[in-house]
Amino acid sequence: VARPLEDICYYSGWLRCGNLIVMYLPERVLRQFGHIQTIPRLPSQSAQPLTTREHISSHYTHYLDWVLTPEQRGPAAIYSWYAAPGYMSWYFQI
């Protein structure tokens, strides 16, 4: 059974579970969410590199402030291989 995608999936920033801390950046995998892949922001723009556990907990408590906006998500992809203009050139440079 498929469930609708919830906005919390678009949270962009640090996630913490106990001692494990990871950067979660959905803008890097928009195609997996059914959107046209765009050139993602730098990780430092999505999740501040020098953050503390307390900041991470606070960010997640107010996660709506850290959710990708509809403009950042871009349009839905009609076909899974769609990418924004310039994305493939950027991808091959990276």
Side-chain angles (χ1 to χ4, degrees):
V1 176
R3 295 185 62 181
L5 189 64
E6 296 185 26
D7 279 349
I8 197 166
C9 294
Y10 294 110
Y11 170 83
S12 184
W14 293 100
L15 294 178
R16 181 175 75 90
C17 182
N19 290 328
L20 179 65
I21 298 173
V22 296
M23 203 181 284
Y24 178 73
L25 305 173
E27 58 264 39
R28 294 188 167 264
V29 292
L30 285 173
R31 292 173 82 176
Q32 295 177 17
F33 291 113
H35 293 275
I36 293 174
Q37 184 62 56
T38 58
I39 298 172
R41 300 178 289 175
L42 294 172
S44 60
Q45 293 174 311
S46 305
Q48 296 175 358
L50 301 175
T51 192
T52 65
R53 293 178 191 278
E54 292 76 25
H55 284 124
I56 293 167
S57 296
S58 174
H59 287 177
Y60 199 70
T61 301
H62 305 285
Y63 80 91
L64 285 176
D65 295 337
W66 297 89
V67 170
L68 296 178
T69 65
E71 291 79 26
Q72 290 170 320
R73 296 176 206 170
I78 297 171
Y79 300 106
S80 62
W81 61 84
Y82 277 10
Y87 172 77
M88 292 308 293
S89 297
W90 171 86
Y91 179 83
F92 286 118
Q93 288 175 2
I94 300 300

